[in-house]
């Protein structure tokens, strides 16, 4: 039997066993209880309480404004919904870059106040001291390399990363540093498929791709994008599995029309 079918709960160890067994890992984002419950029951392996909540839930242009308190609020709702999958909570911008002690305090707050199972941090060698300190406290860490949206003002664009040889070499080194530090998995965002496949081959922990091709160990998408709730965002790597914006608009229009026509509520819908 496959590893993911034989377990009641997904843990960091199960994910690593899935990689060893050649089973792909399915990960999506979630920011609230109701959505998380549906995704967990549908068989997702990892739910990421992403700092993309800053865009998706709060309407900010970047992920930078979301605060630690706001991430904790979102994550606590997600954790209350989940029975099977592993919950990873993003450390928001400004909650870990200062120094390793600040990073550890932020990670402890997330674990204590949300009940989440692990945290995710963007960056490579420059944050390894913080990663090691957090791991020493027993908190599992997922890395994030390639396009790292918290550094958008440094790079200036959301284009594909590590196309050049030197940047690709640095990325492979960073992935190895994160693995050696003890990260249980790494998200690889928007890098050439060939490079992503090479990273997944050269290191033993799972590589979860977004816009990183099919040669990695799993995939992650922003749920609101793959469900077609966000019509404006259409990158090449995004596959839409539903068109909820259209379905919801039709449903709401029907409701408005029924209310105006005095058709809702009818006799059986009242007391
Ligand atoms: O915040 C987020 O949603 C993410 C994913 C895009 C990986 O980091």
């Amino acid at each position: 039997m496959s590893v993911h079918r034989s377990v009641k709960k997904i843990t960091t160890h199960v994910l690593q066993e899935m990689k060893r067994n050649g089973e792909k890992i399915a990960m999506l984002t979630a920011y609230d209880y109701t959505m998380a419950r549906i995704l967990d029951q549908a068989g997702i392996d990892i739910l990421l309480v992403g700092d993309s909540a800053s865009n998706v839930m709060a309407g900010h242009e970047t992920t930078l404004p979301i605060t630690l308190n706001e991430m904790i609020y979102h994550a606590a709702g997600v954790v209350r919904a989940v029975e099977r999958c592993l919950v990873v909570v993003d450390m928001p911008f400004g909650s870990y870059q200062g120094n390793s002690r600040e990073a550890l305090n932020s990670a402890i707050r997330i674990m204590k106040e949300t009940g989440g199972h692990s945290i995710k941090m963007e960056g490579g060698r420059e944050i390894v001291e913080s990663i090691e300190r957090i791991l020493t406290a027993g908190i599992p860490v997922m890395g994030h390399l390639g396009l790292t949206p918290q550094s958008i003002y440094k790079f200036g664009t959301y284009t594909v990363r590590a196309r050049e040889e030197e940047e690709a070499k640095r990325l492979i080194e960073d992935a190895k540093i994160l693995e050696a530090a003890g990260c249980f998995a790494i998200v690889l965002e928007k890098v050439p498929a060939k490079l992503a496949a090479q990273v997944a081959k050269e290191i033993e922990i799972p590589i979860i791709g977004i816009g990183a091709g099919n040669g990695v160990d799993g995939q992650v998408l922003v749920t609101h994008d793959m469900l077609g709730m966000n019509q404006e965002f259409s990158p090449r790597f995004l596959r839409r599995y539903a068109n909820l914006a259209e379905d919801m608009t039709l449903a709401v229009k029907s409701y408005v029309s029924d209310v105006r026509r005095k058709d809702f509520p009818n006799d059986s819908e009242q007391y």
Side-chain angles (χ1 to χ4, degrees):
M1 188 160 39
S2 57
V3 177
H4 72 279
R5 279 188 210 286
S6 67
V7 295
K8 283 214 171 91
K9 264 196 165 312
I10 302 290
T11 64
T12 57
H13 299 281
V14 168
L15 296 171
Q16 291 176 0
E17 218 182 312
M18 283 174 74
K19 170 160 182 163
R20 282 195 291 277
N21 210 31
E23 290 170 39
K24 298 279 185 181
I25 297 163
M27 166 166 158
L28 282 174
T29 60
Y31 319 106
D32 67 88
Y33 174 87
T34 304
M35 185 73 91
R37 202 161 173 73
I38 294 169
L39 302 178
D40 184 53
Q41 288 176 359
I44 280 292
D45 300 311
I46 309 176
L47 278 183
L48 169 66
V49 185
D51 59 357
S52 50
S54 179
N55 314 104
V56 176
M57 303 306 284
H60 292 297
E61 208 171 299
T62 72
T63 56
L64 276 68
I66 199 159
T67 65
L68 185 57
N69 283 343
E70 287 166 340
M71 286 302 297
I72 286 171
Y73 169 80
H74 287 296
V78 169
V79 172
R80 282 193 286 271
V82 159
E83 283 171 14
R84 177 182 173 276
C85 64
L86 182 91
V87 178
V88 181
V89 184
D90 253 341
M91 296 264 275
F93 177 69
S95 71
Y96 63 97
Q97 289 89 347
N99 56 57
S100 64
R101 188 189 179 124
E102 177 189 52
L104 176 61
N105 287 341
S106 302
I108 287 176
R109 275 202 64 200
I110 287 175
M111 299 300 281
K112 259 190 181 306
E113 296 176 39
T114 73
H117 311 134
S118 58
I119 57 106
K120 172 164 87 61
M121 295 158 80
E122 293 183 8
R125 63 199 74 188
E126 69 282 4
I127 58 161
V128 78
E129 187 192 324
S130 297
I131 290 176
E132 279 167 352
R133 194 154 178 184
I134 291 168
L135 283 163
T136 312
I139 301 171
V141 178
M142 176 181 268
H144 185 154
L145 296 171
L147 173 63
T148 47
Q150 291 179 10
S151 312
I152 185 59
Y153 290 116
K154 178 174 162 197
F155 294 106
T157 82
Y158 286 101
T159 52
V160 178
R161 297 291 193 266
R163 277 197 196 277
E164 303 303 324
E165 201 180 321
E166 204 169 307
E167 202 189 336
K169 195 169 148 247
R170 191 178 163 88
L171 188 142
I172 294 170
E173 281 169 12
D174 275 338
K176 289 182 177 169
I177 289 170
L178 294 189
E179 177 178 43
C183 286
F184 72 86
I186 299 173
V187 163
L188 206 46
E189 182 165 356
K190 238 177 162 183
V191 299
K194 205 169 148 205
L195 171 64
Q198 186 187 343
V199 176
K201 209 167 155 203
E202 286 192 19
I203 72 173
E204 283 177 17
I205 56 173
I207 299 294
I208 316 285
I210 172 165
N214 207 3
V216 289
D217 308 304
Q219 300 293 329
V220 56
L221 285 174
V222 170
T223 300
H224 291 63
D225 296 339
M226 61 85 82
L227 291 179
M229 297 174 86
N230 174 5
Q231 302 286 50
E232 291 101 60
F233 186 62
S234 246
R236 177 172 168 165
F237 67 77
L238 175 63
R239 186 182 293 181
R240 287 214 172 88
Y241 288 84
N243 193 341
L244 287 197
E246 214 172 282
D247 293 348
M248 288 169 76
T249 305
L250 285 175
V252 173
K253 280 187 171 169
S254 294
Y255 168 72
V256 170
S257 159
D258 288 355
V259 171
R260 301 250 197 273
R261 292 187 295 121
K262 301 183 186 154
D263 179 67
F264 176 78
N266 62 25
D267 287 350
S268 66
E269 290 164 331
Q270 58 194 340
Y271 302 98

